[in-house]
Amino acid sequence: MVIRNVSLETVCGITSTLPENRMMEIAFAGKSNVGKSSLINAIMNRKSLARTSSEPGKTQTINYYNVNDQFYLVDLPGYGYARVSRETQEKWGRMIERYLKKSKVLRSIFLLIDIRHEPSANDRMMYEWILHQGYRPIIIATKADKINRSQLQKQLKLVRSGLNADQDTVLIPFSAVTKQGRDEIYDLIDRYLEETNE
């Protein structure tokens, strides 16, 4: 996967009509402070494509990035952010639900989990809910540079068992700093593109 061009094509708020795209979509979901914007910037080779912030919960819309005129990278709102009202959280939840049910070209969902901690109740709920919608999420264990290499396998095991994910579930340790895991994500996207174009 060589990233030639990326552009933010569509931004959908709570009341927006979702676009009916023809190209394949790959969605990224995760808790507000899990490093989703940093991951998107790292895999798209851009410094500030997705806005990173020291204050989580910035992504309050569904953002569609057109990548190489081949597929859409879809950035979903971060969930579980304590500083917004419960009502707003529920609206974001409904927006994500509407997207997962409505998209006809969604190929895969990458669920981001912070490798340093056991998955939260919100993480488990999101994982089970994605399964319930008929998708098998790819788990991305973010912030891998923040732990010692000797801890890696132990923390990956913690993530897998915390989600109650089976051994067939793909689990990729990722670091936006060192770019660990980026090639594995590229390989998956390439495979999805090949399957879509067959």
Side-chain angles (χ1 to χ4, degrees):
M1 157 106 358
V2 178
I3 308 298
R4 288 185 299 279
N5 50 68
V6 189
S7 60
L8 177 57
E9 192 169 286
T10 312
V11 176
C12 291
I14 286 163
T15 56
S16 307
T17 302
L18 297 174
E20 293 193 10
N21 290 323
R22 300 223 168 133
M23 296 188 300
M24 170 184 91
E25 292 171 1
I26 291 174
F28 286 78
K31 225 162 42 175
S32 298
N33 56 352
V34 77
K36 189 155 50 69
S37 298
S38 299
L39 178 141
I40 289 170
N41 289 332
I43 61 175
M44 293 295 114
N45 282 330
R46 300 294 189 274
K47 282 265 193 298
S48 54
L49 183 71
R51 287 199 311 249
T52 57
S53 168
S54 57
E55 188 175 317
K58 277 285 186 220
T59 309
Q60 300 176 17
T61 51
I62 298 177
N63 298 332
Y64 293 78
Y65 296 95
N66 179 333
V67 184
N68 293 346
D69 288 322
Q70 284 184 302
F71 71 95
Y72 288 100
L73 186 157
V74 182
D75 182 9
L76 299 173
Y79 56 81
Y81 181 48
R83 268 186 152 160
V84 296
S85 69
R86 180 164 222 94
E87 186 189 356
T88 303
Q89 285 187 39
E90 284 170 2
K91 281 180 180 168
W92 291 352
R94 286 198 294 276
M95 185 158 64
I96 295 171
E97 184 175 10
R98 188 162 57 104
Y99 168 72
L100 293 183
K101 283 183 172 167
K102 286 268 174 77
S103 175
K104 295 183 177 71
V105 287
L106 177 58
R107 180 63 184 79
S108 185
I109 301 166
F110 289 75
L111 178 61
L112 279 56
I113 307 286
D114 189 328
I115 198 168
R116 299 170 299 174
H117 311 295
E118 187 176 355
S120 67
N122 278 326
D123 290 327
R124 286 194 295 277
M125 200 164 69
M126 190 70 182
Y127 176 72
E128 284 161 15
W129 192 64
I130 292 168
L131 289 174
H132 182 67
Q133 297 295 327
Y135 296 95
R136 276 188 76 84
I138 306 292
I139 309 301
I140 307 290
T142 61
K143 308 192 182 187
D145 55 286
K146 301 260 201 296
I147 60 168
N148 294 328
R149 289 184 83 92
S150 59
Q151 295 176 291
L152 185 68
Q153 291 311 315
K154 176 172 151 281
Q155 293 305 113
L156 289 173
K157 202 171 170 185
L158 184 74
V159 169
R160 192 182 290 279
S161 63
L163 293 172
N164 205 13
D166 60 31
Q167 287 305 312
D168 293 338
T169 301
V170 177
L171 175 57
I172 301 171
F174 180 85
S175 165
V177 177
T178 66
K179 309 297 186 281
Q180 175 185 358
R182 185 168 67 172
D183 288 345
E184 286 93 327
I185 294 172
Y186 285 163
D187 289 346
L188 281 168
I189 295 172
D190 281 336
R191 203 169 79 213
Y192 296 145
L193 283 168
E194 279 170 26
E195 289 167 1
T196 304
N197 295 330
E198 276 176 2

